[in-house]
Amino acid sequence: MVNIIMHGCNGAMGQVISSLVERDEEAKIVAGIDLNTEAKNGYPVFASLEDCDVEADVVIDFASAKAVDHLLDYCETRRMPVVLCTTGLSEAQVERVSQVAKETAVLRSANMSLGINLLLKLVKEAAAVLAASGFDMEIVEKHHNQKVDAPSGTALALADSINEAMDHQYHYQYDRSARREKRDPKEIGIQAVRGGSIVGEHDVIFAGQDEVVTFSHTAYSKAIFAKGAVAAAKFLKGKAAGLYDMSDVIG
Ligand SMILES: NC(=O)c1ccc[n+]([C@@H]2O[C@H](COP(=O)([O-])OP(=O)(O)OC[C@H]3O[C@@H](n4cnc5c(N)ncnc54)[C@H](O)[C@@H]3O)[C@@H](O)[C@H]2O)c1
């Protein structure tokens, strides 16, 4: 049994995880943290981590990048394992994640779904073959109109995966409107579309001379992220300090 503190419990993801865990005999949410302290799910909800006096094994975080500094300080001081799912972190926050991982177990992933984590591996393999043969690489992502960060953390993770296969020789191009120039062969274009209730779509396009290979992933519900986050919390319980990702969970 893993006892979980749900950070951002009254948000969209916090609520999906709450109902998933209610049906899981190996996991329990023992407390929630949210600016909105309404107790909707039978566990106590606190306005901040300091107010929370409930013992737990792991924190699952789906809240806001603004709340991440405080969350990391808390987890470092208490040696509390954390599944960090909030996206849109600054470079300084990403750096801080690595520091905190020296003191406690941290699993950070911009996308908790099985499909995207497989895709991260597949695009790396594809890039090694196709980019080396002159294919251009572009990523197009689509999300709902409530999303605040762009491009998505998943699009950046896909770009990082490709770039790793290319010995980090590529740079990212987010906006073509400011330049009237041809595309640089050593760039990865990343475009964001926002609208309606789209849960999450990512296309990784390898465009060569007279042929195009496209990898597509579509999320039809937030349940895929919730499932991954709960699996990650079970994995992280009792783990030694260090930085983990979803590939450690799914093997
Ligand atoms: N890693 C993944 O697989 C994945 C998947 C979906 C969403 N996300 C990310 O998770 C985050 C949350 O997504 P969401 O759709 O649930 O958002 P949401 O806005 O619906 O929910 C966020 C919740 O966090 C609470 N919150 C905000 N600031 C807080 C603070 N300082 N302290 C405590 N609670 C605070 C809000 O009150 C809200 O209830 C976003 O960054 C999103 O991009 C990641």
Side-chain angles (χ1 to χ4, degrees), residues 6-20 29 43 60-63 85 112 144 199 221-230:
M6 184 66 231
H7 191 242
C9 63
N10 283 335
M13 281 307 305
Q15 284 299 294
V16 178
I17 292 175
S18 297
S19 45
L20 187 76
I29 299 183
Y43 53 75
I60 296 180
D61 162 64
F62 280 92
C85 304
M112 304 302 288
H144 52 87
V199 176
S221 98
K222 291 180 192 277
I224 58 171
F225 310 127
K227 253 169 84 175
V230 175

Side-chain angles (χ1 to χ4, degrees), residues 56-153:
D57 302 308
V58 179
V59 176
I60 296 180
D61 162 64
F62 280 92
S64 151
K66 287 185 198 147
V68 163
D69 293 337
H70 187 63
L71 170 70
L72 289 173
D73 290 348
Y74 175 91
C75 293
E76 183 181 47
T77 311
R78 311 256 176 144
R79 307 281 191 275
M80 172 70 89
V82 56
V83 181
L84 193 61
C85 304
T86 294
T87 59
L89 306 197
S90 66
E91 272 180 34
Q93 285 177 317
V94 173
E95 185 82 0
R96 178 87 180 106
V97 170
S98 306
Q99 265 177 20
V100 173
K102 291 183 182 141
E103 303 299 331
T104 189
V106 181
L107 187 147
R108 175 169 169 257
S109 175
N111 193 304
M112 304 302 288
S113 80
L114 181 63
I116 284 288
N117 281 284
L118 175 66
L119 196 57
L120 288 168
K121 290 184 190 168
L122 295 178
V123 295
K124 202 185 256 183
E125 281 179 38
V129 176
L130 299 175
S133 302
F135 281 57
D136 296 321
M137 298 179 290
E138 295 276 320
I139 298 172
V140 179
E141 59 98 338
K142 301 176 192 167
H143 281 88
H144 52 87
N145 58 19
Q146 299 302 302
K147 187 166 178 64
V148 289
D149 53 316
S152 68

Side-chain angles (χ1 to χ4, degrees), residues 165-180:
M166 307 318 297
D167 289 331
H168 302 280
Q169 296 294 305
Y170 280 63
H171 60 91
Y172 304 162
Q173 179 63 47
Y174 303 110
D175 179 9
R176 297 191 189 285
S177 66
R179 308 180 319 160
R180 285 183 63 79

Side-chain angles (χ1 to χ4, degrees), residues 11-38:
M13 281 307 305
Q15 284 299 294
V16 178
I17 292 175
S18 297
S19 45
L20 187 76
V21 171
E22 267 168 31
R23 289 174 268 124
D24 189 330
E25 287 174 4
E26 290 163 17
K28 186 176 181 197
I29 299 183
V30 289
I33 312 294
D34 206 293
L35 298 177
N36 162 11
T37 54
E38 193 184 341

